[in-house]
Amino acid sequence: MPAEPWLTHLVNPQGLKAVYGAAPPPLTAVRLRQLTLHEEGPALTLRLDLPYPADPPRKWAALGFNTVQTEVACTGLSALTLHGFGTEITADITLTAVGDRVAVHVAAPEITVEAVARTVYLAALRAYAQE
């Protein structure tokens, strides 16, 4: 059975749908810029670079942006494991339904993160010019 699109696990996918339409990019080989743990929630935030959309918002195109950056927040954590660490991490990320929760899995040669969250949502969406 094919995996569900990752946007189906977000409580607020509208911003990503507005930018990418019906074809959001998969979370494969994405640049993991930051991983933050918060005691409130408790929560985990992943800051990621995504591929630039084929039909970007006019403002982004006019400013010469070529990379989309998003923050995905995972709140109400009931489990978390983190193995390894590194810099310049390119990872595959999956979101999977587990009952009424969402399992988050980050896999890269340098790092593995597994978490179970009550809620996963889009915390930020922006674009920038990457050299």
Side-chain angles (χ1 to χ4, degrees):
M1 173 168 37
E4 294 178 341
W6 65 278
L7 291 186
T8 63
H9 300 288
L10 299 179
V11 296
N12 62 338
Q14 300 86 350
L16 285 163
K17 287 181 178 180
V19 170
Y20 289 102
L27 293 180
T28 53
V30 294
R31 177 77 187 271
L32 177 62
R33 293 285 183 173
Q34 184 177 24
L35 180 149
T36 308
L37 296 172
H38 311 269
E39 75 174 42
E40 291 182 18
L44 164 71
T45 302
L46 303 171
R47 185 165 54 101
L48 314 167
D49 284 352
L50 299 177
Y52 200 66
D55 186 20
R58 280 184 230 158
K59 181 178 179 180
W60 290 2
L63 292 170
F65 295 157
N66 59 10
T67 304
V68 174
Q69 191 167 90
T70 187
E71 291 180 22
V72 176
C74 309
T75 62
L77 295 181
S78 59
L80 173 71
T81 59
L82 168 66
H83 295 281
F85 193 74
T87 59
E88 298 187 24
I89 297 170
T90 300
D92 293 339
I93 300 170
T94 57
L95 303 177
T96 309
V98 178
D100 64 346
R101 297 194 173 257
V102 179
V104 179
H105 183 77
V106 178
E110 309 88 344
I111 187 171
T112 301
V113 179
E114 294 182 7
V116 178
R118 183 179 341 106
T119 306
V120 179
Y121 67 93
L122 181 66
L125 179 64
R126 56 190 161 267
Y128 69 98
Q130 180 176 322
E131 297 178 14

